[in-house]
Amino acid sequence: MPSDVVKGGVERAPHRSLLRATGLRDDDFKKPFIGIANSFTEVVPGHVHLRELVEHVKRGIRDAGGVPFEFNTIAVDDGIAMGHVGMKYSLPSREVIADSVEIMVMAHQFDGLVTVSSCDKITPGMLIAAARLNVPTVMLTGGAMRAGVYKGKKVGLIDVFEAVGKYSKGEMSEAELYELERAACPGAGSCSGLFTANSMAILVEAMGLTLTHGGTALAESEERRRLAYDAGVTAVRLVRNGIRARSFMTRESFLNAIAVDMALGGSTNTVLHLLAAAREAGVQLSLDDFDSVGRRVPHIAPVYPGGQFMVEDLHAAGGVPAVLKRLLGLINEGAPTVSGMTIGEIARSAEVADERVIRPIGSPVHPTGGIAVLKGTLAPRGAVIKTAALGDEYRFRGRARPFNSEEEAFKAVISREINEGEVIVIRYEGPKGGPGMREMLDITSAVVGMGIDSKVALVTDGRFSGGTRGPAVGHVDPEAWDGGPIALVEEGDEIVIDVPARRLDLLVDQDELDKRLRRWRRPAPRSSSPFLLRYMSMVGHSSDGCTTRVVQDGQG
């Protein structure tokens, strides 16, 4: 076992002496050492209960004959970081999380790993670490938050964001906004809809890296606690059987994850994270794979914010196994899982308990997947749009209103300076230009809340939240910072978004664009943070998952 490097033989007596100081006894040195990467923090609702879950993981490890070692990593709450400089740190935190897990596992030579995570960049960071380390790994996510209830209706965080726009428009009083604010997030867990956190939890289940129903079981449930215990037991079994993380990170498993993502209409951020994890695992994956899977896998579950059902409803309807059952014939059934069953075996043993939530393939919400990849003269390398709430026949042609920051665009929306038929273009918010590729839930929620989402569109080289609904195209690549076409857009230029054709075009002839490019000058960096400037100097393209260049170039 790898841990013999730190605990075996006479020459490791000093190492054992230090380990004894932590409470280890003679018999423990014969057992597998299992690291537990816990992202517990008291500021993130998706993480406040993880300390309790980890105690169940430890018990499972001990009962299975292993020795647990808990360590911690960071967690950024995207909702709290939204709309200010804090959001610049969210996507870069993914790399810090992956690095910190690598450091702890390699420095202490753990035999196996249980990752305990929740929320937007934390589960992806853990996934990247699992791919990089390739030790026996079980992923445990923290589970979904219960839906809130306001005036007899289920609500979630996005209702609060959109209520700000309604308040600005005079459609909601401050007292009503306060009442909704108090009701929307009733307890621990990842926000109750299919945002990035729950999307990624579901996708790691679809990949086989977490136990069955681990993607949707509620945070504050006995089922989640049982999953935690079983994760500990499973990690020890994987170590004893020599089954490593990349066994569950094949091209087939990534394609299964994409198929489930398309069927559910999850967050567009999953595109970034799956691309980054695949690159780390040495698996060939590109935006073209998302496009090809999205064309053949229909959107079959109307889950909030793109539909009326919450994650708790998806779980009650049968969860990921039931979705997989619907997708039989469209997925790779032989892909293995940490449970010991194949994806096909899990799917065939599942039942769909509510066909309103998980529809038959023959009567989908939309005939193609809930995320579309667009390319064209405005996005030569690609862009993404969440079609789950728009439909796969969405088209829009309008005049450009370019803004060089999220703040400028948000002010224009709230001040009612945006007119029907306009395309709000937000640039210099990409991975380098931001830096950090901020999510922009404030502005998308304002557009919806003010009732103009059917009359305008948004396009950006930055990102939109997993909670975004409405006509929002993100991840435009090349980004403005690199002199991409989005940097050359001028007031009044025509832009066409054509989902059926998978096109995003700037209707300006090439000679004119060449003239504009010769005049273009890159602006000064918009941060003095050493961390963000370092990230800016290393990060790659959004179409490659925003991995750092060291990894991207095969040097790390």
Side-chain angles (χ1 to χ4, degrees):
M1 290 188 292
S3 62
D4 288 340
V5 171
V6 298
K7 69 185 182 186
V10 173
E11 69 277 11
R12 296 308 187 208
H15 304 64
R16 290 193 298 273
S17 182
L18 289 167
L19 288 165
R20 289 180 191 278
T22 69
L24 266 62
R25 299 182 178 183
D26 287 347
D27 285 350
D28 291 328
F29 295 109
K30 303 172 185 176
K31 301 173 182 177
F33 283 8
I34 310 295
I36 304 173
N38 185 6
S39 56
F40 165 81
T41 170
E42 292 183 337
V43 72
V44 185
H47 296 243
V48 293
H49 64 305
L50 297 187
R51 181 180 284 168
E52 178 200 352
L53 285 184
V54 163
E55 292 306 310
H56 295 283
V57 176
K58 291 177 183 176
R59 187 164 54 86
I61 291 171
R62 292 191 185 102
D63 287 353
V67 182
F69 292 93
E70 178 188 357
F71 62 91
N72 287 88
T73 185
I74 62 171
V76 171
D77 187 299
D78 281 15
I80 298 172
M82 196 72 64
H84 56 86
V85 69
M87 181 47 73
K88 292 178 182 285
Y89 290 84
S90 177
L91 184 59
S93 76
R94 186 188 72 181
E95 313 309 310
V96 174
I97 291 160
D99 291 347
S100 66
V101 174
E102 176 191 358
I103 288 167
M104 290 299 291
V105 171
M106 294 305 296
H108 303 99
Q109 290 295 292
F110 295 133
D111 301 302
L113 179 66
V114 178
T115 67
V116 184
S117 64
S118 200
C119 298
D120 303 71
K121 307 309 163 298
I122 301 87
T123 296
M126 300 287 196
L127 182 63
I128 289 169
R132 184 184 302 173
L133 292 163
N134 196 27
V135 300
T137 301
V138 179
M139 298 189 71
L140 174 70
T141 49
M145 182 187 293
R146 291 176 292 114
V149 178
Y150 173 70
K151 295 186 176 180
K153 177 188 174 185
K154 286 186 177 182
V155 293
L157 179 65
I158 302 311
D159 292 283
V160 187
F161 272 98
E162 293 178 359
V164 174
K166 293 179 181 178
Y167 171 76
S168 299
K169 196 179 178 183
E171 294 182 354
M172 177 177 272
S173 69
E174 187 173 355
E176 288 174 316
L177 178 58
Y178 176 66
E179 185 182 350
L180 175 60
E181 170 194 326
R182 295 187 65 187
C185 299
S190 298
C191 294
S192 52
L194 200 59
F195 315 138
T196 307
N198 288 320
S199 294
M200 285 305 304
I202 286 167
L203 297 195
V204 295
E205 182 180 347
M207 291 179 69
L209 277 159
T210 193
L211 293 167
T212 307
H213 293 300
T216 56
L218 293 184
E220 297 177 301
S221 68
E222 182 58 32
E223 184 177 8
R224 180 61 56 183
R225 290 186 279 273
R226 288 197 304 272
L227 285 164
Y229 176 86
D230 291 343
V233 172
T234 302
V236 176
R237 174 175 57 80
L238 293 178
V239 169
R240 295 197 188 282
N241 293 333
I243 303 174
R244 297 176 176 270
R246 290 190 190 177
S247 300
F248 313 105
M249 302 182 77
T250 63
R251 177 169 167 79
E252 290 71 27
S253 67
F254 277 101
L255 293 176
N256 282 346
I258 295 172
V260 170
D261 204 10
M262 293 297 173
L264 295 176
S267 164
T268 52
N269 288 316
T270 58
V271 177
L272 291 177
H273 302 320
L274 290 179
L275 287 170
R279 185 173 293 274
E280 201 75 57
V283 172
Q284 291 296 317
L285 199 71
S286 71
L287 279 178
D288 291 338
D289 291 310
F290 287 84
D291 183 58
S292 62
V293 174
R295 288 178 184 272
R296 62 184 175 84
V297 174
H299 174 211
I300 59 172
V303 182
Y304 178 85
Q308 70 270 39
F309 298 108
M310 299 293 192
V311 172
E312 61 187 36
D313 302 314
L314 176 63
H315 183 67
V320 174
V323 175
L324 291 169
K325 189 178 188 73
R326 291 292 199 218
L327 298 181
L328 285 169
L330 297 170
I331 56 173
N332 298 281
E333 295 185 38
T337 75
V338 294
S339 71
M341 299 173 68
T342 66
I343 283 290
E345 289 169 340
I346 291 171
R348 292 184 183 282
S349 64
E351 296 294 336
V352 178
D354 190 337
E355 293 199 344
R356 298 173 306 154
V357 181
I358 305 173
R359 296 187 184 183
I361 292 289
S363 57
V365 183
H366 302 112
T368 58
I371 297 173
V373 175
L374 312 180
K375 292 185 179 181
T377 57
L378 188 53
R381 289 201 192 107
V384 296
I385 182 170
K386 186 173 182 176
T387 58
L390 289 170
D392 53 347
E393 294 299 317
Y394 178 80
R395 294 181 176 89
F396 191 92
R397 180 169 181 158
R399 297 287 179 181
R401 291 289 306 277
F403 299 92
N404 291 338
S405 71
E406 175 190 6
E407 287 83 358
E408 292 175 18
F410 181 75
K411 182 180 178 181
V413 170
I414 291 297
S415 301
R416 304 185 186 185
E417 297 173 11
I418 302 299
N419 301 309
E420 182 175 344
E422 293 182 334
V423 180
I424 304 165
V425 178
I426 309 171
R427 57 195 177 195
Y428 297 106
E429 290 289 2
K432 299 174 190 173
M437 203 179 185
R438 287 190 287 181
E439 288 184 353
M440 289 177 272
L441 182 56
D442 276 355
I443 189 166
T444 55
S445 297
V447 166
V448 173
M450 297 188 73
I452 59 173
D453 52 303
S454 63
K455 304 171 183 176
V456 302
L458 296 96
V459 174
T460 182
D461 55 6
R463 297 183 296 130
F464 294 116
S465 165
T468 293
R469 60 190 179 96
V473 181
H475 307 194
V476 169
D477 191 17
E479 62 175 295
W481 181 264
D482 286 334
I486 193 170
L488 311 178
V489 176
E490 294 184 357
E491 192 91 12
D493 287 346
E494 276 199 296
I495 292 173
V496 174
I497 304 167
D498 189 334
V499 171
R502 299 296 195 268
R503 296 287 302 182
L504 177 63
D505 288 308
L506 174 63
L507 303 186
V508 176
D509 66 63
Q510 191 58 50
D511 288 343
E512 173 61 20
L513 289 178
D514 291 341
K515 291 178 185 177
R516 293 181 189 181
L517 184 59
R518 287 193 290 271
R519 297 194 301 267
W520 175 78
R521 295 293 181 270
R522 177 181 289 140
R526 293 194 296 190
S527 176
S528 59
S529 160
F531 168 70
L532 290 177
L533 291 174
R534 184 166 66 248
Y535 178 80
M536 179 180 176
S537 71
M538 298 176 68
V539 70
H541 304 294
S542 58
S543 58
D544 290 327
C546 293
T547 55
T548 60
R549 284 187 183 154
V550 172
V551 173
Q552 184 175 318
D553 293 341
Q555 301 171 7

